[in-house]
DNA sequence: CCGATCATGTAATTAGTTACATGATTCG
DNA sequence: CGAATCATGTAACTAATTACATGATCGG
């Protein structure tokens, strides 16, 4: 319609970067850090994705970057979402079909094949799993405790939604733990 | 040590095929069907993986295939695990490090970025999610009901473990549903 | 002096999905 | 007659992870 290129990002990764940037202007480095303690827990994003998408998004007119010279530390490039970017993100949030949740669960995989394992071997795996679930739960709990301290740009609604996502993550670990107990009990009885 | 090649499969996919075959001899086609209603729910396996791995496993001496001519339907090749294969599987089950569970969750992703969405848009996504969770729950429930009817090769221990894995899947959907309710309540209040 | 943090990118590789290709038979 | 089932494979592609490459500064 206009004379600028307002095309959509090709991949989901592009929208994820766009979404992260919705929180406020950030450099690729900062985005990667933010992603690592947030969305990366339920969607795969790495530095490589971010640095790959940023120039694409800029070319499409969805973000705009500005070089910020620094002393001592390396210079950086700060990106912010454009109006077109916000529009594209909203469109994606409301209309794109992202498919169903997918789970990669090594313990389930092993248990499914585990008829050749003895009680001790199964229990070792269960204990391992419970331990990492415990650790994750603690991590998410600290995130939740810190969730209130946000930037000025972050709206009350945004904070509420993020807390709900963290609640999910915590509940999920609780479920893992509860299930491990169920498995232990069942195998002890049988 | 011997004169045969008893090397390990390179990828996890290879062990998954090996594990599926532990249930009894099957063709690639049958393995794909079995995988589709079992492990594929918590580990990615498709026909392509299976047909790719089968020859590799055979070369490594972990499975052995036998051609079975058929009339009417196409001929097939039935594979069964060798002693070396069973050993390799056990080794993998007890020693390999498969990493932590990974989740791809589109709804969480959207909610995390959803500060620009209004109540109606969020609710539409939640409803959608609840519906698919409901459907999945029902599916796993029917699997569980049928879990007793197994092949002769399947041990009582194997059946018990499979039921526990299904219990996990059902509980997980219940959790999704419960969480959706929590989100709805919280957003209605706030 | 060693490791961490800040900062940006690319390259290589592995993993995973979807499409293509073929062909007989059975069921509605 | 069209769709589904049986049956096996490959090719093309997209997605995701890990490694490589560079270089200053700061704290212990």
């Amino acid at each position: 319609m206009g004379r600028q290129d307002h095309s959509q990002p090709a991949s989901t990764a592009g929208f994820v970067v766009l979404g992260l940037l919705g929180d406020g202007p950030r450099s690729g480095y900062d985005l990667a850090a933010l992603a690592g303690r947030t969305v990366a827990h339920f969607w795969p994003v790495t530095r490589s994705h971010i640095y790959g998408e940023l120039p694409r998004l800029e070319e499409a007119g969805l973000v705009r970057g500005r070089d910020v010279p620094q002393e001592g530390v390396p210079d950086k490039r700060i990106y912010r979402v454009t109006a077109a970017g916000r529009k594209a993100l909203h469109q994606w949030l409301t209309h794109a079909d992202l498919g169903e949740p997918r789970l990669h669960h090594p313990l389930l995989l092993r248990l499914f094949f585990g008829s050749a394992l003895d009680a001790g071997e199964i229990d070792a795996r269960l204990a391992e799993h419970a331990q990492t679930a415990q650790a994750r739960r603690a991590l998410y709990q600290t995130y939740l405790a810190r969730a209130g301290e946000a930037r000025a740009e972050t709206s009350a609604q945004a904070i509420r939604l993020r807390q709900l996502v963290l609640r999910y993550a915590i509940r999920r670990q609780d479920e893992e733990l509860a299930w491990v107990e169920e498995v232990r009990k069942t195998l002890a009885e049988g």
Side-chain angles (χ1 to χ4, degrees), chain A:
Chain A
M1 288 171 169
R3 58 206 187 295
Q4 263 176 285
D5 183 9
H6 287 170
S7 60
Q8 301 289 108
S11 65
T12 304
F15 286 105
V16 173
V17 174
L18 211 50
L20 286 167
L21 232 28
D23 189 58
R26 278 198 174 79
S27 67
Y29 187 86
D30 291 331
L31 284 168
L34 175 60
R37 61 191 140 84
T38 58
V39 286
H41 294 293
F42 47 85
W43 200 268
V45 217
T46 57
R47 275 192 325 117
S48 299
H49 286 124
I50 292 165
Y51 282 115
E53 291 299 333
L54 250 11
R56 261 192 278 281
L57 291 170
E58 191 163 21
E59 242 191 314
L62 305 177
V63 306
R64 194 158 31 242
R66 183 173 55 88
D67 287 311
V68 178
Q70 298 188 120
E71 30 194 279
V73 290
D75 297 349
K76 59 182 173 180
R77 189 172 172 79
I78 301 283
Y79 294 86
R80 57 186 70 231
V81 192
T82 64
R86 238 174 291 274
K87 214 180 102 188
L89 180 65
H90 186 268
Q91 185 70 13
W92 176 77
L93 285 171
T94 50
H95 293 291
D97 178 29
L98 273 170
E100 290 190 42
R102 259 150 58 214
L103 185 68
H104 289 213
H105 204 307
L107 179 66
L108 289 183
L109 187 66
R110 282 190 220 252
L111 238 48
F112 189 82
F113 297 141
S115 54
L117 298 177
D118 61 51
E121 287 167 335
I122 290 177
D123 213 67
R125 290 300 178 181
L126 289 173
E128 219 180 278
H129 184 66
Q131 210 170 20
T132 68
Q134 206 66 265
R136 268 176 185 270
R137 197 196 186 281
L139 178 69
Y140 296 139
Q141 198 72 68
T142 66
Y143 285 167
L144 189 57
R146 267 190 253 134
E149 324 155 13
R151 302 179 157 208
E153 297 97 328
T154 314
S155 70
Q157 168 81 333
I159 292 170
R160 209 172 302 129
L161 288 168
R162 268 151 218 218
Q163 285 173 339
L164 285 167
V165 168
L166 282 167
R167 283 285 312 142
Y168 175 98
I170 292 168
R171 290 183 72 140
R172 215 180 92 64
Q173 301 311 315
D174 286 340
E175 248 302 296
E176 295 288 324
L177 262 12
W179 177 74
V180 164
E181 280 321 301
E182 189 187 318
V183 173
R184 276 185 175 144
K185 233 191 292 174
T186 308
L187 292 180
E189 282 167 12

